């Protein structure tokens, strides 16, 4: 959610700045964009598409997640000249590292889950198991997590009704995506870019 | 019905390759950030 908000806000900010400067907003252009589709496909099948995600065992799902993130990292490297992409890649690297160190899933500390999940729902969650078939997170006590500072240990302040846990890697990814959309228009000549006026 | 079709044709004629390029860029970036990120909202059911 934080990531989609970053894309939306980044797009609106970039477009707004261009409007304010009476210029045309040019979107950044990715090299090898098909790699994103190929990279995202394993996650789409293993996590997001309801008809296929139940076909995967946990070990297959974690393999899909790691392979997918490696491919997305390669895509990021091929597009590293775009503003913000290095920041986004750093965040992805943080997430991939902690996922790799914790049996192929993002650890959600039990202590963090207690901060934003109702007791009723907590009663249905099992320690050491995934939160759901659509989740990349696995519930683990903080003391058992490898590299706990990279886990989903942060929760939004109580003043927001929508609460979720996120990692430091997610913050870098969100900021990288935001920066890409705000500054990305400067990375390519005008003739190579899309625009919205 | 005829008006709806003519409106649709009018809107479609306004969409050019650059608009498609922007849409494609947003789609690719969305896939990238969703695939790279790993935030958790417990399916949206764990809100206190």
């Amino acid at each position: 959610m934080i990531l989609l908000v970053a894309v939306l806000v980044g797009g609106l900010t970039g477009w707004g700045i261009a409007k304010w400067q009476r210029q045309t907003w040019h979107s950044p252009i990715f090299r090898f964009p098909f790699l994103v589709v190929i990279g995202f496909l394993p996650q789409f099948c293993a996590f997001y598409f309801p008809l296929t995600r139940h076909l995967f065992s946990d070990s297959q799902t974690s393999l899909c997640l790691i392979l997918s993130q490696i491919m997305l990292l390669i895509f990021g490297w091929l597009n590293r000249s775009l503003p913000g992409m290095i920041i986004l890649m750093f965040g992805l690297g943080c997430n991939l590292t902690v996922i790799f160190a914790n049996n192929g899933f993002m650890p959600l500390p039990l202590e963090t889950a207690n901060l934003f999940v109702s007791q009723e729902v907590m009663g249905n969650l099992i320690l050491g198991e995934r939160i759901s078939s659509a989740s990349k997170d696995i519930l683990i006590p903080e003391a058992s997590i490898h590299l706990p500072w990279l886990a989903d240990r942060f929760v939004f302040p109580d003043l927001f009704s929508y609460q979720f846990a996120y990692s430091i890697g997610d913050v870098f990814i969100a900021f990288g995506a935001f920066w890409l959309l705000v500054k990305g228009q400067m990375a390519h000549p005008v003739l190579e870019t899309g625009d919205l006026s | 019905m005829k008006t709806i079709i003519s409106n649709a044709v009018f809107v479609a004629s306004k969409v050019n390759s650059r608009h498609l390029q922007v849409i494609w860029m947003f789609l690719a970036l969305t896939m990238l950030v969703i695939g790279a990120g790993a935030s958790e909202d417990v399916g949206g059911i764990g809100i206190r």
Side-chain angles (χ1 to χ4, degrees):
Chain A
M1 185 69 177
I2 182 179
L3 303 166
L4 294 180
V5 169
V7 171
L8 185 66
V9 173
L12 288 174
T13 305
W15 180 78
I17 289 172
K19 271 278 181 194
W20 181 52
Q21 295 176 339
R22 300 188 178 190
Q23 294 175 345
T24 302
W25 183 72
H26 303 284
S27 71
I29 297 294
F30 292 127
R31 297 175 68 208
F32 310 105
F34 62 92
L35 275 180
V36 179
V37 179
I38 296 171
F40 183 67
L41 196 61
Q43 283 196 51
F44 180 75
C45 295
F47 291 98
Y48 299 109
F49 193 49
L51 295 180
T52 54
R53 66 187 177 210
H54 294 291
L55 303 174
F56 292 80
S57 66
D58 276 359
S59 57
Q60 290 169 334
T61 305
S62 68
L63 186 65
C64 283
L65 178 57
I66 289 172
L67 286 177
S68 166
Q69 293 202 324
I70 288 172
M71 281 192 275
L72 293 176
L73 206 53
I74 293 169
F75 169 79
W77 177 254
L78 293 171
N79 287 278
R80 65 189 181 281
S81 59
L82 291 174
M85 189 55 85
I86 294 290
I87 303 170
L88 199 154
M89 280 174 62
F90 181 73
L92 172 53
C94 289
N95 280 353
L96 182 57
T97 303
V98 70
I99 285 170
F100 199 74
N102 290 275
N103 298 321
F105 290 107
M106 172 58 84
L108 173 65
L110 181 62
E111 295 80 357
T112 304
N114 275 321
L115 294 175
F116 76 105
V117 181
S118 67
Q119 288 306 312
E120 186 187 347
V121 174
M122 280 298 291
N124 295 324
L125 301 180
I126 302 168
L127 267 181
E129 299 278 322
R130 289 169 64 196
I131 304 299
S132 71
S133 62
S135 174
K136 298 176 187 176
D137 281 44
I138 187 168
L139 190 66
I140 309 179
E142 184 151 350
S144 305
I145 296 175
H146 301 290
L147 308 175
W149 59 90
L150 294 178
D152 272 354
R153 59 183 304 165
F154 303 102
V155 180
F156 252 39
D158 276 344
L159 53 114
F160 294 97
S161 60
Y162 179 74
Q163 294 256 296
F164 57 94
Y166 58 96
S167 66
I168 190 74
D170 291 332
V171 176
F172 280 109
I173 291 166
F175 186 70
F178 175 83
W179 202 245
L180 179 69
L181 289 168
V182 172
K183 290 288 182 183
Q185 60 170 332
M186 298 170 187
H188 292 277
V190 172
L191 289 176
E192 290 183 35
T193 60
D195 63 46
L196 280 181
S197 51
Chain B
M1 188 66 185
K2 199 174 176 181
T3 313
I4 293 171
I5 292 170
S6 61
N7 280 344
V9 169
F10 177 75
V11 169
S13 67
K14 289 277 184 186
V15 176
N16 59 33
S17 62
R18 289 185 182 241
H19 290 117
L20 292 177
Q21 206 169 31
V22 171
I23 292 167
W24 169 235
M25 184 280 302
F26 269 105
L27 191 63
L29 186 60
T30 301
M31 283 191 279
L32 176 63
V33 298
I34 289 176
S39 59
E40 177 58 59
D41 65 355
V42 195
I45 56 171
I47 302 167
R48 267 186 166 162

